[in-house]
Amino acid sequence: KAGVTQTPRYLIKTRGQQVTLSCSPISGHRSVSWYQQTPGQGLQFLFEYFSETQRNKGNFPGRFSGRQFSNSRSEMNVSTLELGDSALYLCASSLLAGGRTGELFFGEGSRLTVL
Amino acid sequence: SQQGEEDPQALSIQEGENATMNCSYKTSINNLQWYRQNSGRGLVHLILIRSNEREKHSGRLRVTLDTSKKSSSLLITASRAADTASYFCATDGGNNDMRFGAGTRLTVKP
């Protein structure tokens, strides 16, 4: 069974640009969560999608958005990039929604550098 | 916002020694999970303990949970150099999302 796939793995953008990151969950998993990881703030929850609906959202500005498609693949978008958006963006999938269901399966992440 | 806080932030031990990491959290939980992350990679699930459990074992891992103190500990016995990684606790914060602590950076010296 293929794991969680995130693309691209690495990318460099400049301030003011926008970026779209993609996540393909494990086959059969309907929940996709996104996290931002930085040295200073640790792992911060961005949002979770289940069956194409956003179920939860973390404390991030509206520049951060996401969506989920009918095949459970998810994308997140960051507009008007700032230097502080440089981070490792991690996607995790699970069979059902939320932490009650058990483990999250993480992708290798997309490392974004904003210059 | 983060739900869990790991302690210590960093831990350095010799191969063969035991490593203990602690996690404290703030709100009531359904379960608590521990994850491992090798540098710059994704997280890997280690073990899950439910709120009605007090202790759980998996190989060289032992996890305890004290819901009255809102704390958990992860013990790695007979550590190996390959155990060098960051370890995170994660809890469901009541909103059906998993919140992670800042992690403990474990270094096991050969």
Side-chain angles (χ1 to χ4, degrees):
Chain A
K1 203 180 216 182
V4 177
T5 303
Q6 290 189 246
T7 57
R9 289 292 313 279
Y10 304 91
L11 66 165
I12 300 173
K13 294 284 188 178
T14 56
R15 278 183 300 174
Q17 287 187 311
Q18 67 94 26
V19 66
T20 299
L21 309 177
S22 178
C23 173
S24 293
I26 290 173
S27 178
H29 284 192
R30 296 167 63 188
S31 171
V32 173
S33 301
W34 288 90
Y35 292 84
Q36 181 197 65
Q37 186 177 30
T38 59
Q41 297 296 319
L43 271 158
Q44 300 287 322
F45 172 76
L46 280 159
F47 25 66
E48 180 197 6
Y49 287 88
F50 182 78
S51 294
E52 302 178 65
T53 301
Q54 187 182 88
R55 296 187 69 252
N56 283 301
K57 191 176 192 305
N59 189 25
F60 278 82
R63 300 186 297 107
F64 292 80
S65 63
R67 58 179 174 167
Q68 186 179 34
F69 303 94
S70 59
N71 61 358
S72 293
R73 189 177 71 86
S74 177
E75 289 182 347
M76 67 162 284
N77 184 277
V78 188
S79 62
T80 319
L81 284 166
E82 300 176 359
L83 295 178
D85 297 332
S86 294
L88 181 66
Y89 289 88
L90 292 163
C91 162
S93 77
S94 61
L95 190 60
L96 299 173
R100 297 169 187 263
T101 64
E103 68 179 286
L104 299 176
F105 293 82
F106 281 84
E108 292 294 334
S110 292
R111 182 165 295 282
L112 170 65
T113 300
V114 182
L115 302 176
Chain B
S1 61
Q2 292 175 325
Q3 162 76 320
E5 294 290 337
E6 286 91 344
D7 166 55
Q9 290 186 340
L11 180 63
S12 181
I13 58 175
Q14 294 293 134
E15 213 167 24
E17 294 180 337
N18 295 341
T20 300
M21 289 159 269
N22 303 297
C23 167
S24 59
Y25 56 92
K26 298 172 184 173
T27 63
S28 60
I29 60 172
N30 294 297
N31 66 66
L32 185 143
Q33 302 179 36
W34 285 90
Y35 288 79
R36 164 197 168 119
Q37 183 182 37
N38 285 37
S39 183
R41 308 289 297 276
L43 280 73
V44 175
H45 181 262
L46 294 175
I47 196 166
L48 178 153
I49 186 166
R50 301 198 183 279
S51 59
N52 61 353
E53 297 176 309
R54 291 296 168 258
E55 187 171 312
K56 203 161 184 181
H57 297 255
S58 177
R60 294 184 296 113
L61 305 180
R62 172 178 167 247
V63 169
T64 61
L65 178 64
D66 186 336
T67 52
S68 67
K69 295 181 180 178
K70 292 187 170 55
S71 67
S72 173
S73 67
L74 170 68
L75 168 67
I76 304 175
T77 60
S79 62
R80 306 164 182 168
D83 294 329
T84 294
S86 292
Y87 292 83
F88 297 85
C89 68
T91 56
D92 58 324
N95 290 322
N96 292 326
D97 58 75
M98 295 301 293
R99 304 286 175 130
F100 288 79
T104 292
R105 174 70 190 165
L106 173 66
T107 302
V108 182
K109 300 175 186 175

